[in-house]
Amino acid sequence: MNAHSPQAVQQSWQDAAGRVHAGPVHEAVGDFSVVDCACCGFKHVLPLPTPEQLREVYAHDYYTQEKPAYIEHYLQDKPWWDAVYAERYQRLEGWLPGTRRRLLDVGSGPGLFLLNGRERGWQVRGIEPSAQAAAHSRDSLGLDVQEGFLDENSVGGMGRYDALNLGEVLEHLPDPAGMLSLAHRLLDEDGVLCTVVPNDFNPVQQLLREQQGFKPWWVAPPHHLNYFDHASLSALVARCGFEVLHVESTFPIDLFLLMGQNYIGNDTLGRQVHGQRKQLEQALLGGGAGELKARLYKAFADCGIGREVVLFARKKCQRMRPPAETPQPQEHPST
């Protein structure tokens, strides 16, 4: 389906607040359509599930049905995740003075991002809707993680922070702008946000879809409701009161599909190609090429490719200040 052709199907839907979401349909999966929404400025599904429907999915079903091996694989990948998270903390530390080390991780999952922060001397706290993931964080890692959703009911008791992490969260929410508004309220003046979302409908995916007959495997409602790219995420964050500091990509793992390694639906092959990606990144970081890796992944973002968008932004304040320079990740020892 070519959503940019004159014959492209248009769809509209009105939410409970009376806002009309409308745009050309890019894909249709089951009862859901993905539209390029003029109201929101990014692609998302119609109709949007209610918050109550999503609470049940993420509180009990997500890690047992949608991603049953996720926690196991996550822990197997710990050395690699430690390197990934070290880079992200180094960026945060480059934009914050040494006295500001309070962080909230929203959707903290099994807890390794928080664990890395604690080991670096940060005061860390998490909030996580999955009972399994929250229990692992508390019982196995000894972390301060509250089970539940960050919303208007819980935000008042969360405190204030210098940094806030939203890793793989905004794509799951019926109102991502509302979540960014909560993040803005929780951050102190000049606080820094890190958010990571899948980079969907990217040029590599479109090539695979239109030229090689792949189905749109990345369209996965009701778990993934929103489909961002570098530009649409940057625009959304800016509209919600943040100044974008830095945008990069993660490794464009869908390049393996162009090379004939069809890992879609094949978990064994998927783990193999993920292992090759880990080997590349750990070789770069362990070999003293952290700056090269940073430049390469920024170039991926400039080309619109990469599996995820990684964006850092500062909470806007009224006083004027000079623009911050982008800190470069430090080198890591080999793991």
Side-chain angles (χ1 to χ4, degrees), residues 80 82-96 101 120 122 246 248 281-295 312 326-335:
W80 173 71
D82 287 344
V84 170
Y85 292 154
E87 287 186 286
R88 293 183 188 165
Y89 273 105
Q90 285 162 14
R91 290 205 181 276
L92 293 172
E93 289 163 3
W95 284 305
L96 291 166
R101 292 293 184 266
R120 298 175 72 92
W122 285 67
H246 178 74
E248 64 186 28
E281 295 185 353
Q282 290 177 296
L284 288 170
L285 294 172
E291 183 177 352
L292 172 61
K293 177 183 177 293
R295 290 167 55 198
F312 295 85
T326 299
Q328 293 298 322
Q330 302 170 9
E331 315 300 349
H332 301 280
S334 16
T335 52

Side-chain angles (χ1 to χ4, degrees), residues 6-292:
Q7 294 79 30
V9 175
Q10 301 280 320
Q11 186 168 335
S12 65
W13 176 81
Q14 184 171 312
D15 65 22
R19 294 170 297 187
V20 176
H21 301 265
V25 176
H26 280 253
E27 297 290 349
V29 176
D31 296 330
F32 297 94
S33 298
V34 178
V35 303
D36 199 349
C37 181
C39 173
C40 297
F42 54 86
K43 299 177 183 69
H44 64 74
V45 302
L46 294 180
L48 287 165
T50 66
E52 292 73 25
Q53 290 171 326
L54 291 180
R55 284 178 186 278
E56 184 64 24
V57 168
Y58 287 106
H60 303 292
D61 297 343
Y62 191 57
Y63 285 106
T64 56
Q65 296 181 18
E66 180 69 11
K67 291 191 173 184
Y70 178 78
I71 294 179
E72 177 186 354
H73 289 166
Y74 187 66
L75 297 177
Q76 289 173 359
D77 292 341
K78 184 178 183 300
W80 173 71
W81 278 119
D82 287 344
V84 170
Y85 292 154
E87 287 186 286
R88 293 183 188 165
Y89 273 105
Q90 285 162 14
R91 290 205 181 276
L92 293 172
E93 289 163 3
W95 284 305
L96 291 166
T99 55
R100 298 187 61 180
R101 292 293 184 266
R102 298 167 302 163
L103 177 135
L104 177 66
D105 191 6
V106 179
S108 54
L112 290 188
F113 186 79
L114 290 173
L115 181 64
N116 272 262
R118 186 175 69 184
E119 292 174 348
R120 298 175 72 92
W122 285 67
Q123 299 175 39
V124 297
R125 188 182 186 192
I127 182 167
E128 166 57 44
S130 164
Q132 299 97 315
H136 178 269
S137 299
R138 291 192 304 265
D139 301 341
S140 299
L141 303 180
L143 293 164
D144 178 9
V145 173
Q146 175 179 326
E147 183 182 327
F149 287 82
L150 180 64
D151 54 22
E152 289 291 345
N153 295 322
S154 61
V155 67
M158 296 306 297
R160 303 281 290 184
Y161 299 90
D162 306 305
L164 191 143
N165 188 58
L166 285 168
E168 308 280 359
V169 170
L170 295 181
E171 67 270 24
H172 298 281
L173 305 176
D175 182 16
M179 175 59 72
L180 288 170
S181 176
L182 295 177
H184 196 275
R185 287 160 57 182
L186 289 168
L187 284 169
D188 270 343
E189 183 176 326
D190 286 340
V192 179
L193 169 75
C194 174
T195 184
V196 182
V197 298
N199 177 32
D200 287 326
F201 293 92
N202 69 61
V204 176
Q205 290 175 336
Q206 297 284 44
L207 179 62
L208 290 160
R209 176 79 170 102
E210 296 170 9
Q211 301 299 325
Q212 298 199 16
F214 277 74
K215 294 182 179 180
W217 72 91
W218 63 90
V219 178
H223 296 104
H224 284 203
L225 304 178
N226 309 305
Y227 299 86
F228 296 101
D229 56 23
H230 299 82
S232 63
L233 180 64
S234 296
L236 174 64
V237 167
R239 289 198 303 273
C240 292
F242 292 90
E243 171 196 359
V244 176
L245 298 171
H246 178 74
V247 184
E248 64 186 28
S249 289
T250 61
F251 182 80
I253 200 163
D254 35 21
L255 289 178
F256 281 104
L257 299 172
L258 289 178
M259 294 184 282
Q261 299 293 308
N262 186 0
Y263 57 81
I264 305 301
N266 184 337
D267 187 62
T268 300
L269 182 57
R271 291 293 293 171
Q272 288 177 5
V273 299
H274 175 58
Q276 291 176 280
R277 172 254 191 99
K278 290 192 301 178
Q279 184 175 347
L280 168 66
E281 295 185 353
Q282 290 177 296
L284 288 170
L285 294 172
E291 183 177 352
L292 172 61

